[in-house]
Amino acid sequence: MLLTEQASPYALYHCQQVSPQTIREIKQASEVVGCVLMQAWSVIRNLDEEALLYYGFPEESIRLVKYDALAPFCMRLDWCWNEQTGVKKVVETNSQTPSFWFECTVGNHRVAEHFGLRSPDVNAHDTLKFTLNQHIKRAAVFLDKPFEECEVVFTTLNNAEDLGTMQWLSSHVHRSTIMPLEFLRIQDGKCLFDQRTGKSIDILFMWYPLEWAIHDTDENGERLWPALEKLILERKVVIVNFGSAFALQPKSVFALIYDLGLDFFSGKDAETIFEYFPKTSLNKNDIRDSYFAKPILGREGEGGFAVNSGRITAKSTSNNPWYTEQAYVYQELLEFPKVEIVGQSMTAVWGAWLYNNGYDKFIAGGLGMRVSEGEITDNIAYWCPVGC
């Protein structure tokens, strides 16, 4: 299973057998975590600019974060789910990434069948299809335009993984098209359109980090963000899972939840935070001398490092200055589970998808496992299919 022109394998020819109870527990835990995150989203939208800057939101993103009232559609939670030690903590939310989506929704089912095991979640695909179409229709209402008259487009970076995922995703929505990001154009502040066809776009499903978009320029060096932001604010286009999703993307959101305190949340949400959220802070002294540090706008493990009893014990293999020069967030150090695959011990991270059910409540979708030879899961980790 190789990506185009990729020398190292993306997935392992293996299917890790897990119990149906484990799958059920991870999904249930993900849903209650989703309730806390939806509450956090409401809080974030009402914070003032000074507070958002404190928690690491780029200044250029703030207006859209506070404006976008169309709630997030989906996210992938990453879990340290260690049944041997009893440590079951959600380590971060990834609400603006297309990665590890097909694998959790369809891939596990196909591989499990190949190895003579049962699918870990037979309803994952139907859940995605139903909620996606429901959310696209909500976007049309938000735009105040009949859905049948809306031009729906899916776009992302032009690479095998991201574009392939978007092609698969768009196949679930009737009358939608897909295009590489580089063909997206803005016309005189009036509309967003496809350069190839000239068609204007009403609803855009764009998997591209907002923190990158605010810095993009055209061929003349002019910043593109002001024009795009204007179109969104004037409701000339709706970008699904963009501003609202970015509100939950920074790793500092978990620090905000801890800063609000358990008394701020309802009894059930407070219990969820106590049980499933690791202690997280913008100040490493709050976590003492054992913690995991990661950039506030970190992705794929970039720039992360672990400190145990004051000593660095693990560092990411990827340390692009874009990430390492950011402010960091600090999280209590967790012991991730190990799985034995072909005689080799690997670190396992669970990913679990959540979808907006149409009433701004997150429901569980597919889930899956990534494994890495080192202690930090990054962009060279393997997909390890699972079955029951």
Side-chain angles (χ1 to χ4, degrees):
M1 295 184 182
L2 299 178
L3 287 178
T4 306
E5 298 179 356
Q6 182 169 315
S8 59
Y10 173 75
L12 301 177
Y13 183 70
H14 174 80
C15 194
Q16 185 73 14
Q17 188 168 10
V18 295
S19 71
Q21 181 181 349
T22 295
I23 300 297
R24 187 165 53 251
E25 288 181 358
I26 294 175
K27 292 180 69 174
Q28 290 171 348
S30 296
E31 288 189 348
V32 295
V33 164
C35 289
V36 173
L37 292 172
M38 189 61 81
Q39 177 72 5
W41 175 66
S42 298
V43 171
I44 289 165
R45 290 188 64 234
N46 288 290
L47 291 177
D48 59 30
E49 181 174 344
E50 184 179 357
L52 289 173
L53 290 173
Y54 172 76
Y55 284 102
F57 284 82
E59 185 175 1
E60 297 89 343
S61 73
I62 290 175
R63 186 155 50 173
L64 186 57
V65 163
K66 293 175 69 65
Y67 164 82
D68 192 356
L70 185 64
F73 164 59
C74 66
M75 65 181 65
R76 191 193 76 234
L77 303 179
D78 280 354
W79 283 93
C80 171
W81 195 271
N82 196 331
E83 293 180 313
Q84 288 187 329
T85 64
V87 174
K88 299 173 181 178
K89 300 286 186 180
V90 57
V91 294
E92 62 185 42
T93 175
N94 297 280
S95 50
Q96 268 205 312
T97 176
S99 60
F100 208 50
W101 202 345
F102 174 88
E103 298 88 333
C104 293
T105 309
V106 178
N108 284 324
H109 173 79
R110 295 182 181 175
V111 177
E113 189 176 62
H114 172 77
F115 280 91
L117 299 175
R118 287 180 294 156
S119 171
D121 188 349
V122 294
N123 298 316
H125 188 258
D126 290 340
T127 301
L128 166 62
K129 184 175 181 178
F130 174 75
T131 56
L132 175 60
N133 278 276
Q134 193 173 43
H135 206 75
I136 294 292
K137 290 175 182 176
R138 287 184 71 186
V141 173
F142 191 70
L143 193 62
D144 195 23
K145 186 172 182 177
F147 172 70
E148 295 75 18
E149 298 177 14
C150 289
E151 186 72 23
V152 181
V153 172
F154 289 74
T155 188
T156 187
L157 291 170
N158 192 359
N159 62 57
E161 181 181 5
D162 290 359
L163 202 58
T165 301
M166 286 299 99
Q167 189 168 13
W168 163 73
L169 193 64
S170 68
S171 69
H172 298 88
V173 178
H174 183 57
R175 293 179 53 255
S176 66
T177 59
I178 181 170
M179 59 179 282
L181 194 66
E182 62 262 31
F183 294 111
L184 205 58
R185 292 290 185 273
I186 298 173
Q187 184 180 43
D188 301 328
K190 296 178 181 178
C191 69
L192 204 61
F193 71 99
D194 184 339
Q195 182 190 31
R196 301 167 302 177
T197 64
K199 282 187 177 181
S200 61
I201 299 167
D202 299 299
I203 299 171
L204 184 66
F205 208 107
M206 180 169 69
W207 283 102
Y208 184 70
L210 191 150
E211 72 268 24
W212 296 359
I214 60 178
H215 297 292
D216 283 347
T217 59
D218 63 16
E219 56 272 13
N220 299 316
E222 293 293 326
R223 291 181 64 236
L224 296 168
W225 179 247
L228 179 59
E229 182 190 48
K230 186 172 185 289
L231 289 179
I232 299 171
L233 296 178
E234 293 179 353
R235 295 200 187 187
K236 293 179 179 177
V237 66
V238 173
I239 305 184
V240 173
N241 217 62
F242 193 54
S244 60
F246 181 72
L248 294 173
Q249 179 67 35
K251 311 312 174 190
S252 53
V253 169
F254 281 23
L256 168 64
I257 289 170
Y258 258 87
D259 289 345
L260 289 171
L262 297 182
D263 292 339
F264 176 85
F265 294 90
S266 68
K268 186 175 181 181
D269 286 346
E271 289 177 13
T272 298
I273 294 167
F274 181 80
E275 184 172 2
Y276 292 123
F277 281 75
K279 186 174 182 181
T280 308
S281 177
L282 297 181
N283 184 350
K284 64 182 177 183
N285 294 327
D286 292 341
I287 317 293
R288 299 187 178 177
D289 61 352
S290 294
Y291 54 81
F292 188 79
K294 47 191 167 184
I296 285 179
L297 296 176
R299 291 180 181 272
E300 298 184 322
E302 285 263 14
F305 61 93
V307 172
N308 195 343
S309 300
R311 184 173 62 89
I312 295 178
T313 54
K315 293 185 70 173
S316 172
T317 56
S318 303
N319 292 284
N320 189 303
W322 165 268
Y323 296 101
T324 59
E325 293 175 5
Q326 293 179 21
Y328 271 64
V329 66
Y330 304 90
Q331 201 166 72
E332 67 175 281
L333 192 62
L334 304 173
E335 183 181 351
F336 282 79
K338 303 288 185 179
V339 292
E340 196 80 16
I341 300 175
V342 196
Q344 184 171 357
S345 178
M346 293 189 170
T347 304
V349 173
W350 279 94
W353 284 88
L354 290 174
Y355 302 115
N356 193 320
N357 71 347
Y359 302 96
D360 295 344
K361 179 181 178 181
F362 286 120
I363 58 175
L367 73 175
M369 181 188 290
R370 287 174 296 154
V371 297
S372 54
E373 296 172 5
E375 296 296 322
I376 298 176
T377 305
D378 52 25
N379 63 346
I380 59 172
Y382 304 109
W383 166 38
C384 177
V386 297
C388 295

